[in-house]
Amino acid sequence: MKENKSKYAIMGILSMGPMSGYDIKKRFEKSLAYFWSESYGQIYPILKNLAKQGLATRSIKKQEGKPDRHIYALTDKGRKALQEWMIQPVGRLIGRHEILLKLFFGQQVSLADNIRQVEHFRKLQSQKLKEIKATEEVLKADHKDNPNLTYWLMTVRCGQYVNRAYLRWSDETLAVLRGMEQEGVIKNGN
Amino acid sequence: MKENKSKYAIMGILSMGPMSGYDIKKRFEKSLAYFWSESYGQIYPILKNLAKQGLATRSIKKQEGKPDRHIYALTDKGRKALQEWMIQPVGRLIGRHEILLKLFFGQQVSLADNIRQVEHFRKLQSQKLKEIKATEEVLKADHKDNPNLTYWLMTVRCGQYVNRAYLRWSDETLAVLRGMEQEGVIKNGN
DNA sequence: TAGAGCATGTAATAGGTTACATGATTAG
DNA sequence: CTAATCATGTAACCTATTACATGCTCTA
């Protein structure tokens, strides 16, 4: 039972209303960027496939001066398939943390190199935290009465919790690394 | 400049001392499992390639009653390549959080379904936290005087920080969802 | 006039897992 | 007797990104 998550991610977006592949991409970038993304190379073939399997319908909206829009809409069968997937318990996430991998082998490079690396990581994370806050504001402003909003804000919260954890960890780790640096100086001074 | 991270992950393990593909797999499982993993399908071809590129040497240790061991050792060239990779600033991590994806579309299923999902997620995370704690104890006991230990414990701390963030988020989210359930009951009761 | 936005899509390539094949030994 | 551990490796498969191709309009 191989479940292609991209397929369900796309069906999920489609559950918010009929739209084109182009729209779907923008939705991912606007509201889900900090925990999910899909490329056109995935989106267009999957949409084609959804139509073939009867999980979505496709209609063409002609436009002048712009390319035609291929609008996809979830069918009842598609919505049922999405719901079935949604109630399956999630698997454990196996993230590949480059920063942890590099730090794990920290002994191979200088203390200064490790410090630089963690500082850079910290900067990335605080940037990301800002982006998540921006997403939160946009969601609150644009979808005040949308019944989905409660759920969307829950995912935003998760991003914030995790990101703050990264920031606190970075600070702690930098303190330890800088302490080691000091020790080294003292030792060399004796 | 395409950098294959698996290659460097394996070189990193090799930086701890010469060993076989089998050993490498075990190392990943024992000490890096919560933030990195590699399958045999990656390890063996990459090892072959490292040898071909002069980044590692290969020697065969014959054993009786057991298959021969192919021992790989990092060369100076290999160590330098590893160090060069290690000082490159890390990229942003684009985790795909299945739980957040499902919750984002939470409106599509019942409140009870969402609660069940988050409860299950919480269970997975507290299990993982236990595993990280176990890893910490093993590292401390087995490698008391290993100069790598400081770095290893930093990665462990990160796992703990993030995991506790997930647990706190789960609790908050479950409280909100249960509150919504209550509201629903009151409304239905009127 | 260059670049961004609109809009579709494909092909090449990279990255990664799973299942399979082999075969002896040892522990339950 | 069964399952796990030791140990190597490959082939089939799935997943995902990137670059490319097309071509119009609007803005700086």
Side-chain angles (χ1 to χ4, degrees), chain B residues 155-170:
Chain B
T155 66
V156 164
R157 281 252 152 268
C158 187
Q160 289 170 347
Y161 267 93
V162 172
N163 236 277
R164 283 194 204 111
Y166 279 130
L167 290 181
R168 265 181 286 122
W169 172 78
S170 300

Side-chain angles (χ1 to χ4, degrees), chain B residues 8-176:
Chain B
Y8 293 102
I10 288 168
M11 284 204 274
I13 301 285
L14 244 25
S15 80
M16 303 195 272
M19 66 185 97
S20 70
Y22 191 80
D23 294 335
I24 290 171
K25 183 82 199 296
K26 275 190 302 177
R27 285 282 174 120
F28 275 115
E29 281 160 8
K30 215 174 122 193
S31 316
L32 294 87
Y34 60 96
F35 70 88
W36 205 275
S37 69
E38 295 292 346
S39 62
Y40 286 126
Q42 293 271 88
I43 293 170
Y44 285 117
I46 286 175
L47 282 175
K48 221 182 218 178
N49 213 261
L50 290 178
K52 208 171 71 185
Q53 291 183 261
L55 300 167
T57 56
R58 163 176 163 154
S59 57
I60 290 163
K61 238 188 192 167
K62 280 181 183 159
Q63 297 188 126
E64 275 173 51
K66 288 179 193 175
D68 293 351
R69 286 162 57 76
H70 297 194
I71 308 293
Y72 290 84
L74 259 200
T75 60
D76 284 350
K77 193 179 159 192
R79 195 169 297 269
K80 258 175 216 159
L82 174 64
Q83 286 163 346
E84 254 166 64
W85 175 75
M86 282 187 62
I87 60 173
Q88 300 303 313
V90 297
R92 18 174 73 229
L93 47 84
I94 15 99
R96 293 173 75 137
H97 281 254
E98 198 184 337
I99 182 71
L100 295 188
L101 188 65
K102 283 182 170 167
L103 208 58
F104 194 88
F105 305 121
Q107 190 70 26
Q108 296 298 313
V109 293
S110 72
L111 262 173
D113 285 328
N114 285 302
I115 290 171
R116 221 171 290 132
Q117 199 60 265
V118 178
E119 280 173 341
H120 175 249
F121 174 75
R122 198 197 184 282
K123 222 173 279 173
L124 283 182
Q125 291 313 123
S126 75
Q127 220 170 58
K128 202 172 171 182
L129 190 54
K130 268 182 210 160
E131 282 166 25
I132 296 175
K133 277 176 188 164
T135 301
E136 186 181 8
E137 294 315 313
V138 169
L139 287 176
K140 278 183 182 167
D142 293 6
H143 305 275
K144 247 181 194 168
D145 304 313
N146 194 315
N148 288 298
L149 185 60
T150 323
Y151 292 102
W152 297 349
L153 292 180
M154 285 174 186
T155 66
V156 164
R157 281 252 152 268
C158 187
Q160 289 170 347
Y161 267 93
V162 172
N163 236 277
R164 283 194 204 111
Y166 279 130
L167 290 181
R168 265 181 286 122
W169 172 78
S170 300
D171 291 335
E172 181 193 287
T173 303
L174 283 170
V176 174

Side-chain angles (χ1 to χ4, degrees), chain A residues 78-91:
Chain A
R79 195 169 297 270
K80 256 175 217 161
L82 173 64
Q83 287 163 345
E84 253 167 64
W85 174 75
M86 282 186 62
I87 59 172
Q88 298 305 312
V90 297

